[in-house]
Amino acid sequence: MTWIWSNLDFIWDRTLDHLVLSVPPIILSFLIALPIGWLAHRFRLGRGFILISVGLLYAIPSLPLFVVLPAIVGTSGRDPLNLVIALTIYGVALMVRVVADGLASVDPDVRLSATAVGFSGWALFWQVQLPLAGPVLLAGLRVVAVSTVSLATVGAVIGVQSLGSLFTDGFQRGIEAEIVAGIVCTVLLALAFDGALVALGRLLMPWSRPARPTRSSAPLTPGPKALGAAVHGGEAAK
Amino acid sequence: MIEFRSVSKQFPDGTLAVDDFSLVLPSHKTTVLVGSSGSGKTTLLRMINRMVDPTGGAIEIDGVDIAGLEPVKLRRSIGYVMQNSGLLPHRTVVDNVATVPLLRGVPKKRARADALALLDTVGLERSLADRYPSQLSGGQQQRVGVARGLAVNPNILLMDEPFGAVDPIVRAELQQELIRLQRELGKTVVFVTHDVEEAFLLGDQVVILRQGGRVAQVGSPTEILASPADDFVASFVGADRGKRALHLESQGGRDILVDSEGRLAGVLTGGSRPGEADPVPGSGASAQGGDSR
């Protein structure tokens, strides 16, 4: 306990490092997965191939990836960029399938009627399909966020400072409190990300909350499609 | 006026959905396409706004071949109402109604004001304007759908089984509402249904389709009931049975109408007995009450 009190600054700095390392991969993996997932959704024939090959990226063990990346990208061995790229790859691997599934979850009747009233292809994607895929995208993004925060700790092994540094340092010096502090802070940070995404979802998708009963009448149709519950809780330990 | 000229549609899998279909749909009238599934009625409807392109023949709107028109632009000029309303679940009622005007570049403020006025037109309270579709009843959603269809003040309104998914009481209400609206607005309505009752209620011109989009008979409801073209039509409209095949019986000095199963259908209150003046049997115009639906 005393270690924690006397090292609050150190813990706080590592938390900030961790935050800075985690945010870009989450945003990047979403942006990169969007067009790939759209392709997988749009072209039936390519779907299986795209989803499987992108999904396989997740199977690459992280340590060898850190070894190979500098050679491919041309970064130095201890550049935090290596970690950001690796985490983005894992994020994309998770997110592409989510995007494809999310677009597929849009009610075909809604798509049909949107086309019938005169949405062009471009407007249909941005104004109808993407927002309606939102709940599924959000569910997937929450998994990516939590998984990224957890994976970022590995950076400590290759000398990139993060909350993982509390594990490595704690092990080497035999300070249990430091390890525990690292674990607790990682979990708290993951929860904070998750909470922020949920709040963002509420803000951007007010329609996806369960319908309030109307006073005047009658049977309510069920709200938007149930979110991919299966994606939840799949925090990946790697 | 919408004109189909020898229109055919063969889908890539070989199905012939529509075969050599020709028809004139007069302006400001309601034309109802009625048939069972596989009769190509929805395909015909979707050809009018180029959701489906014919593989043969041509379709003209007011003398212009629509094959030469840009589909997205064409669709934005035609009202479209479908089953289950087809509303955008992520937009509020008022935004749904304003959808097409906004796509056409109408300023947001004006589009919303017009949309609110349209809610009045279709009999919805303005207090519903900021709800989402999932917060409305089926009947209310359908009314919003109609309001959206009218939003660009189109000459043509396409309605694809719009009342198919609501309960019978609400359906009857919506049908009456549509009749009222049509009296006020006089659109060229093309209405698709599989329900003969609905077709006869709403249609100025009724088109009875058989499999493969072939016309079995075209005419006013009265004409079709009075002289079905063939056995298929007669059986489809039920002219030979049930509550459509009525005959007169005298009971205590009054003429009562009895259907083919011996059930009381109503009392003859006006007009004249068949054989005396009006030679059209079963036109139904003077029979009242007794609808057992």
Side-chain angles (χ1 to χ4, degrees):
Chain A
M1 243 8 215
T2 40
W3 182 90
I4 294 178
W5 291 123
S6 45
N7 289 281
L8 278 179
D9 280 355
F10 178 71
I11 297 176
W12 179 243
D13 286 346
R14 295 297 79 76
T15 307
L16 288 183
D17 288 341
H18 205 100
L19 189 77
V20 169
L21 286 173
S22 309
V23 171
I26 296 172
I27 296 174
L28 284 175
S29 56
F30 178 71
L31 294 179
I32 295 171
L34 209 54
I36 305 178
W38 179 82
L39 281 175
H41 166 71
R42 181 70 182 71
F43 302 101
R44 282 276 156 75
L45 288 174
R47 183 186 160 91
F49 175 76
I50 293 176
L51 292 186
I52 290 170
S53 44
V54 174
L56 277 177
L57 291 176
Y58 205 77
I60 304 173
S62 51
L63 287 178
L65 187 59
F66 292 136
V67 175
V68 180
L69 267 178
I72 300 175
V73 192
T75 43
S76 78
R78 310 187 67 160
D79 195 328
L81 193 58
N82 295 326
L83 187 68
V84 170
I85 294 173
L87 293 178
T88 304
I89 290 175
Y90 292 132
V92 168
L94 288 175
M95 205 58 203
V96 165
R97 179 174 288 273
V98 172
V99 172
D101 289 349
L103 292 174
S105 78
V106 177
D107 185 347
D109 271 357
V110 171
R111 221 167 46 215
L112 186 84
S113 92
T115 310
V117 300
F119 278 90
S120 60
W122 188 250
L124 186 71
F125 178 79
W126 291 106
Q127 296 183 37
V128 180
Q129 291 180 285
L130 189 63
L132 288 179
V136 175
L137 297 184
L138 178 66
L141 207 53
R142 289 173 66 183
V143 176
V144 170
V146 171
S147 144
T148 302
V149 168
S150 139
L151 282 173
T153 54
V154 185
V157 181
I158 53 163
V160 179
Q161 294 277 301
S162 72
L163 283 170
S165 309
L166 299 181
F167 306 160
T168 48
D169 193 58
F171 268 120
Q172 277 162 9
R173 297 162 58 195
I175 309 170
E176 254 176 58
E178 188 175 5
I179 300 175
V180 173
I183 295 173
V184 170
C185 285
T186 309
V187 170
L188 288 179
L189 195 61
L191 285 175
F193 269 76
D194 195 52
L197 283 172
V198 171
L200 191 70
R202 291 242 170 96
L203 194 72
L204 293 179
M205 301 182 284
W207 51 273
S208 71
R209 264 172 290 173
R212 292 185 303 267
T214 51
R215 247 168 299 131
S216 49
S217 59
L220 291 165
T221 54
K225 295 252 154 66
L227 324 182
V231 228
H232 277 267
E235 216 252 290
K238 229 178 138 67
Chain B
M1 186 179 83
I2 306 169
E3 185 170 4
F4 285 81
R5 293 190 182 181
S6 312
V7 169
S8 308
K9 175 66 190 180
Q10 187 161 28
F11 283 106
D13 65 358
T15 325
L16 196 59
V18 174
D19 186 15
D20 194 25
F21 178 88
S22 294
L23 181 74
V24 172
L25 295 83
S27 295
H28 313 299
K29 298 280 181 210
T30 302
T31 298
V32 180
L33 306 174
V34 55
S36 39
S37 55
S39 61
K41 54 190 191 298
T42 295
T43 305
L44 285 167
L45 185 86
R46 289 184 183 162
M47 284 183 186
I48 299 172
N49 69 352
R50 294 201 60 191
M51 296 280 284
V52 174
D53 280 325
T55 44
I59 300 163
E60 291 182 357
I61 295 178
D62 296 329
V64 178
D65 188 343
I66 61 167
L69 301 177
E70 212 273 305
V72 169
K73 212 174 152 205
L74 176 70
R75 287 173 201 150
R76 288 179 188 175
S77 68
I78 295 178
Y80 190 92
V81 186
M82 65 185 277
Q83 197 173 357
N84 298 320
S85 78
L87 297 174
L88 299 174
H90 62 302
R91 292 196 176 168
T92 58
V93 164
V94 65
D95 287 340
N96 260 291
V97 177
T99 297
V100 191
L102 287 175
L103 284 173
R104 301 221 299 189
V106 173
K108 191 154 190 180
K109 221 170 171 183
R110 215 187 90 204
R112 283 179 67 99
D114 292 349
L116 286 174
L118 270 170
L119 292 184
D120 303 339
T121 311
V122 298
L124 282 172
E125 287 173 39
R126 290 191 177 202
S127 62
L128 298 176
D130 293 322
R131 301 260 180 99
Y132 290 99
S134 64
Q135 297 169 325
L136 304 182
S137 70
Q140 289 170 331
Q141 289 182 25
Q142 225 42 64
R143 282 173 195 261
V144 178
V146 173
R148 181 176 71 169
L150 294 171
V152 290
N153 194 22
N155 293 325
I156 299 172
L157 190 58
L158 306 180
M159 307 187 85
D160 187 1
E161 303 208 33
F163 310 143
V166 294
D167 68 65
I169 295 172
V170 176
R171 187 182 312 145
E173 212 175 283
L174 291 170
Q175 287 166 344
Q176 290 307 324
E177 198 74 9
L178 180 63
I179 291 171
R180 176 185 68 80
L181 272 176
Q182 177 61 353
R183 220 174 14 234
E184 289 169 13
L185 304 174
K187 302 289 181 194
T188 305
V189 177
V190 188
F191 193 106
V192 159
T193 181
H194 58 261
D195 179 359
V196 174
E197 307 288 339
E198 188 168 63
F200 284 170
L201 179 65
L202 302 174
D204 298 308
Q205 173 174 257
V206 173
V207 182
I208 302 201
L209 296 164
R210 56 172 104 229
Q211 293 296 304
R214 280 169 304 137
V215 176
Q217 189 170 2
V218 182
S220 71
T222 316
E223 285 162 4
I224 292 174
L225 260 183
S227 43
D230 53 24
D231 289 348
F232 172 81
V233 176
S235 122
F236 191 82
V237 303
D240 54 352
R241 62 175 192 279
K243 61 175 187 275
R244 289 246 188 260
L246 305 178
H247 61 273
L248 283 169
E249 282 178 13
S250 276
Q251 193 97 45
R254 294 198 67 177
D255 291 325
I256 62 166
L257 288 156
V258 179
D259 72 15
S260 66
E261 281 145 39
R263 280 192 300 253
L264 177 68
V267 180
L268 194 65
T269 54
S272 48
R273 299 186 55 128
E276 286 173 9
D278 181 0
V280 181
S283 72
S286 55
Q288 284 201 344
D291 192 332
S292 58
R293 247 187 310 172

